[in-house]
Amino acid sequence: MTLSVAIGRAGDSCRWRVSCSERQISRSLRRGYAERTGVPARTPSTITTVDGLLAASAEVHARGYALDLSENEAGKVCVSAAIHDYTGRATHGLSISSIALEHPGESIAMFAPQAIAAAAEISALLGAQGRR
């Protein structure tokens, strides 16, 4: 999907036209949000840079699930998958959580297939037609 956006006020003699992909818009929105709100550390493992957050976000998008390896709360880990609504937008998430002692490193990722399957089932019940 490509979106064209006109920038400027109605009646302006100079208007800028920008075309960009949905992924570029999403990246731009994530960067803007992170820059506006900051990326505060919640634990020593928290990603605290905008570029780090964008890189992690791209990795999540590529593999289809997210990992929290004690980034939000020390000693807790989880794997999560997006739940999509009838428009195909990711509106919620489903996570499987544990403690790092039980699932050290990235071993919580072994539950990714179950998280993805459960999120897909819920998405289908919400009218999603598959991942877009």
Side-chain angles (χ1 to χ4, degrees), residues 28-39:
S28 174
L29 290 174
R30 286 192 305 267
R31 177 176 288 285
Y33 177 80
E35 289 174 348
R36 253 189 344 274
T37 61
V39 191

mmCIF file with all atom_site columns, all heavy atoms in Angstrom, residues 28-39:
data_model
loop_
_atom_site.group_PDB
_atom_site.id
_atom_site.type_symbol
_atom_site.label_atom_id
_atom_site.label_alt_id
_atom_site.label_comp_id
_atom_site.label_asym_id
_atom_site.label_entity_id
_atom_site.label_seq_id
_atom_site.pdbx_PDB_ins_code
_atom_site.Cartn_x
_atom_site.Cartn_y
_atom_site.Cartn_z
_atom_site.occupancy
_atom_site.B_iso_or_equiv
_atom_site.pdbx_formal_charge
_atom_site.auth_seq_id
_atom_site.auth_comp_id
_atom_site.auth_asym_id
_atom_site.auth_atom_id
_atom_site.pdbx_PDB_model_num
ATOM 1  N N   . SER A 1 28 ? 8.081  5.881  10.778 1.00 0.00 ? 28 SER A N   1
ATOM 2  C CA  . SER A 1 28 ? 8.104  7.304  11.110 1.00 0.00 ? 28 SER A CA  1
ATOM 3  C C   . SER A 1 28 ? 7.285  7.591  12.366 1.00 0.00 ? 28 SER A C   1
ATOM 4  O O   . SER A 1 28 ? 7.706  8.359  13.234 1.00 0.00 ? 28 SER A O   1
ATOM 5  C CB  . SER A 1 28 ? 7.561  8.115  9.930  1.00 0.00 ? 28 SER A CB  1
ATOM 6  O OG  . SER A 1 28 ? 7.451  9.465  10.268 1.00 0.00 ? 28 SER A OG  1
ATOM 7  N N   . LEU A 1 29 ? 6.125  6.957  12.485 1.00 0.00 ? 29 LEU A N   1
ATOM 8  C CA  . LEU A 1 29 ? 5.290  7.145  13.669 1.00 0.00 ? 29 LEU A CA  1
ATOM 9  C C   . LEU A 1 29 ? 5.962  6.601  14.917 1.00 0.00 ? 29 LEU A C   1
ATOM 10 O O   . LEU A 1 29 ? 5.926  7.220  15.981 1.00 0.00 ? 29 LEU A O   1
ATOM 11 C CB  . LEU A 1 29 ? 3.927  6.475  13.478 1.00 0.00 ? 29 LEU A CB  1
ATOM 12 C CG  . LEU A 1 29 ? 2.990  7.136  12.473 1.00 0.00 ? 29 LEU A CG  1
ATOM 13 C CD1 . LEU A 1 29 ? 1.744  6.280  12.272 1.00 0.00 ? 29 LEU A CD1 1
ATOM 14 C CD2 . LEU A 1 29 ? 2.629  8.532  12.896 1.00 0.00 ? 29 LEU A CD2 1
ATOM 15 N N   . ARG A 1 30 ? 6.602  5.430  14.792 1.00 0.00 ? 30 ARG A N   1
ATOM 16 C CA  . ARG A 1 30 ? 7.320  4.858  15.940 1.00 0.00 ? 30 ARG A CA  1
ATOM 17 C C   . ARG A 1 30 ? 8.469  5.764  16.366 1.00 0.00 ? 30 ARG A C   1
ATOM 18 O O   . ARG A 1 30 ? 8.671  5.998  17.551 1.00 0.00 ? 30 ARG A O   1
ATOM 19 C CB  . ARG A 1 30 ? 7.840  3.456  15.612 1.00 0.00 ? 30 ARG A CB  1
ATOM 20 C CG  . ARG A 1 30 ? 6.763  2.399  15.590 1.00 0.00 ? 30 ARG A CG  1
ATOM 21 C CD  . ARG A 1 30 ? 7.356  1.003  15.547 1.00 0.00 ? 30 ARG A CD  1
ATOM 22 N NE  . ARG A 1 30 ? 8.274  0.803  14.441 1.00 0.00 ? 30 ARG A NE  1
ATOM 23 C CZ  . ARG A 1 30 ? 7.941  0.308  13.259 1.00 0.00 ? 30 ARG A CZ  1
ATOM 24 N NH1 . ARG A 1 30 ? 6.701  -0.044 13.021 1.00 0.00 ? 30 ARG A NH1 1
ATOM 25 N NH2 . ARG A 1 30 ? 8.839  0.145  12.320 1.00 0.00 ? 30 ARG A NH2 1
ATOM 26 N N   . ARG A 1 31 ? 9.230  6.266  15.396 1.00 0.00 ? 31 ARG A N   1
ATOM 27 C CA  . ARG A 1 31 ? 10.345 7.151  15.712 1.00 0.00 ? 31 ARG A CA  1
ATOM 28 C C   . ARG A 1 31 ? 9.833  8.416  16.399 1.00 0.00 ? 31 ARG A C   1
ATOM 29 O O   . ARG A 1 31 ? 10.353 8.831  17.427 1.00 0.00 ? 31 ARG A O   1
ATOM 30 C CB  . ARG A 1 31 ? 11.144 7.524  14.466 1.00 0.00 ? 31 ARG A CB  1
ATOM 31 C CG  . ARG A 1 31 ? 12.280 8.499  14.769 1.00 0.00 ? 31 ARG A CG  1
ATOM 32 C CD  . ARG A 1 31 ? 13.126 8.800  13.558 1.00 0.00 ? 31 ARG A CD  1
ATOM 33 N NE  . ARG A 1 31 ? 13.973 7.713  13.157 1.00 0.00 ? 31 ARG A NE  1
ATOM 34 C CZ  . ARG A 1 31 ? 15.089 7.349  13.775 1.00 0.00 ? 31 ARG A CZ  1
ATOM 35 N NH1 . ARG A 1 31 ? 15.485 8.005  14.860 1.00 0.00 ? 31 ARG A NH1 1
ATOM 36 N NH2 . ARG A 1 31 ? 15.803 6.353  13.332 1.00 0.00 ? 31 ARG A NH2 1
ATOM 37 N N   . GLY A 1 32 ? 8.786  9.005  15.843 1.00 0.00 ? 32 GLY A N   1
ATOM 38 C CA  . GLY A 1 32 ? 8.222  10.223 16.427 1.00 0.00 ? 32 GLY A CA  1
ATOM 39 C C   . GLY A 1 32 ? 7.736  10.009 17.848 1.00 0.00 ? 32 GLY A C   1
ATOM 40 O O   . GLY A 1 32 ? 7.990  10.825 18.737 1.00 0.00 ? 32 GLY A O   1
ATOM 41 N N   . TYR A 1 33 ? 7.053  8.900  18.066 1.00 0.00 ? 33 TYR A N   1
ATOM 42 C CA  . TYR A 1 33 ? 6.558  8.590  19.404 1.00 0.00 ? 33 TYR A CA  1
ATOM 43 C C   . TYR A 1 33 ? 7.717  8.417  20.379 1.00 0.00 ? 33 TYR A C   1
ATOM 44 O O   . TYR A 1 33 ? 7.723  8.971  21.472 1.00 0.00 ? 33 TYR A O   1
ATOM 45 C CB  . TYR A 1 33 ? 5.682  7.329  19.385 1.00 0.00 ? 33 TYR A CB  1
ATOM 46 C CG  . TYR A 1 33 ? 5.216  6.924  20.756 1.00 0.00 ? 33 TYR A CG  1
ATOM 47 C CD1 . TYR A 1 33 ? 4.133  7.567  21.342 1.00 0.00 ? 33 TYR A CD1 1
ATOM 48 C CD2 . TYR A 1 33 ? 5.866  5.932  21.475 1.00 0.00 ? 33 TYR A CD2 1
ATOM 49 C CE1 . TYR A 1 33 ? 3.704  7.220  22.615 1.00 0.00 ? 33 TYR A CE1 1
ATOM 50 C CE2 . TYR A 1 33 ? 5.450  5.573  22.735 1.00 0.00 ? 33 TYR A CE2 1
ATOM 51 C CZ  . TYR A 1 33 ? 4.364  6.222  23.304 1.00 0.00 ? 33 TYR A CZ  1
ATOM 52 O OH  . TYR A 1 33 ? 3.954  5.886  24.563 1.00 0.00 ? 33 TYR A OH  1
ATOM 53 N N   . ALA A 1 34 ? 8.712  7.641  19.973 1.00 0.00 ? 34 ALA A N   1
ATOM 54 C CA  . ALA A 1 34 ? 9.862  7.386  20.843 1.00 0.00 ? 34 ALA A CA  1
ATOM 55 C C   . ALA A 1 34 ? 10.619 8.674  21.144 1.00 0.00 ? 34 ALA A C   1
ATOM 56 O O   . ALA A 1 34 ? 11.045 8.903  22.280 1.00 0.00 ? 34 ALA A O   1
ATOM 57 C CB  . ALA A 1 34 ? 10.789 6.358  20.200 1.00 0.00 ? 34 ALA A CB  1
ATOM 58 N N   . GLU A 1 35 ? 10.766 9.532  20.158 1.00 0.00 ? 35 GLU A N   1
ATOM 59 C CA  . GLU A 1 35 ? 11.479 10.802 20.377 1.00 0.00 ? 35 GLU A CA  1
ATOM 60 C C   . GLU A 1 35 ? 10.684 11.732 21.281 1.00 0.00 ? 35 GLU A C   1
ATOM 61 O O   . GLU A 1 35 ? 11.245 12.439 22.106 1.00 0.00 ? 35 GLU A O   1
ATOM 62 C CB  . GLU A 1 35 ? 11.808 11.458 19.043 1.00 0.00 ? 35 GLU A CB  1
ATOM 63 C CG  . GLU A 1 35 ? 12.902 10.718 18.287 1.00 0.00 ? 35 GLU A CG  1
ATOM 64 C CD  . GLU A 1 35 ? 13.149 11.249 16.887 1.00 0.00 ? 35 GLU A CD  1
ATOM 65 O OE1 . GLU A 1 35 ? 12.328 12.051 16.378 1.00 0.00 ? 35 GLU A OE1 1
ATOM 66 O OE2 . GLU A 1 35 ? 14.167 10.846 16.287 1.00 0.00 ? 35 GLU A OE2 1
ATOM 67 N N   . ARG A 1 36 ? 9.364  11.741 21.116 1.00 0.00 ? 36 ARG A N   1
ATOM 68 C CA  . ARG A 1 36 ? 8.502  12.607 21.938 1.00 0.00 ? 36 ARG A CA  1
ATOM 69 C C   . ARG A 1 36 ? 8.445  12.165 23.391 1.00 0.00 ? 36 ARG A C   1
ATOM 70 O O   . ARG A 1 36 ? 8.458  12.976 24.297 1.00 0.00 ? 36 ARG A O   1
ATOM 71 C CB  . ARG A 1 36 ? 7.063  12.582 21.378 1.00 0.00 ? 36 ARG A CB  1
ATOM 72 C CG  . ARG A 1 36 ? 6.628  13.798 20.672 1.00 0.00 ? 36 ARG A CG  1
ATOM 73 C CD  . ARG A 1 36 ? 5.148  13.827 20.312 1.00 0.00 ? 36 ARG A CD  1
ATOM 74 N NE  . ARG A 1 36 ? 4.381  12.606 20.337 1.00 0.00 ? 36 ARG A NE  1
ATOM 75 C CZ  . ARG A 1 36 ? 4.300  11.743 19.323 1.00 0.00 ? 36 ARG A CZ  1
ATOM 76 N NH1 . ARG A 1 36 ? 4.952  11.958 18.213 1.00 0.00 ? 36 ARG A NH1 1
ATOM 77 N NH2 . ARG A 1 36 ? 3.555  10.659 19.429 1.00 0.00 ? 36 ARG A NH2 1
ATOM 78 N N   . THR A 1 37 ? 8.338  10.880 23.596 1.00 0.00 ? 37 THR A N   1
ATOM 79 C CA  . THR A 1 37 ? 8.128  10.361 24.950 1.00 0.00 ? 37 THR A CA  1
ATOM 80 C C   . THR A 1 37 ? 9.412  9.927  25.630 1.00 0.00 ? 37 THR A C   1
ATOM 81 O O   . THR A 1 37 ? 9.430  9.705  26.834 1.00 0.00 ? 37 THR A O   1
ATOM 82 C CB  . THR A 1 37 ? 7.154  9.163  24.928 1.00 0.00 ? 37 THR A CB  1
ATOM 83 O OG1 . THR A 1 37 ? 7.723  8.127  24.129 1.00 0.00 ? 37 THR A OG1 1
ATOM 84 C CG2 . THR A 1 37 ? 5.801  9.576  24.382 1.00 0.00 ? 37 THR A CG2 1
ATOM 85 N N   . GLY A 1 38 ? 10.470 9.758  24.857 1.00 0.00 ? 38 GLY A N   1
ATOM 86 C CA  . GLY A 1 38 ? 11.718 9.251  25.407 1.00 0.00 ? 38 GLY A CA  1
ATOM 87 C C   . GLY A 1 38 ? 11.646 7.743  25.501 1.00 0.00 ? 38 GLY A C   1
ATOM 88 O O   . GLY A 1 38 ? 10.602 7.130  25.289 1.00 0.00 ? 38 GLY A O   1
ATOM 89 N N   . VAL A 1 39 ? 12.752 7.137  25.788 1.00 0.00 ? 39 VAL A N   1
ATOM 90 C CA  . VAL A 1 39 ? 12.805 5.683  25.909 1.00 0.00 ? 39 VAL A CA  1
ATOM 91 C C   . VAL A 1 39 ? 13.432 5.390  27.273 1.00 0.00 ? 39 VAL A C   1
ATOM 92 O O   . VAL A 1 39 ? 14.588 5.013  27.375 1.00 0.00 ? 39 VAL A O   1
ATOM 93 C CB  . VAL A 1 39 ? 13.633 5.062  24.754 1.00 0.00 ? 39 VAL A CB  1
ATOM 94 C CG1 . VAL A 1 39 ? 13.467 3.560  24.724 1.00 0.00 ? 39 VAL A CG1 1
ATOM 95 C CG2 . VAL A 1 39 ? 13.227 5.648  23.407 1.00 0.00 ? 39 VAL A CG2 1
#
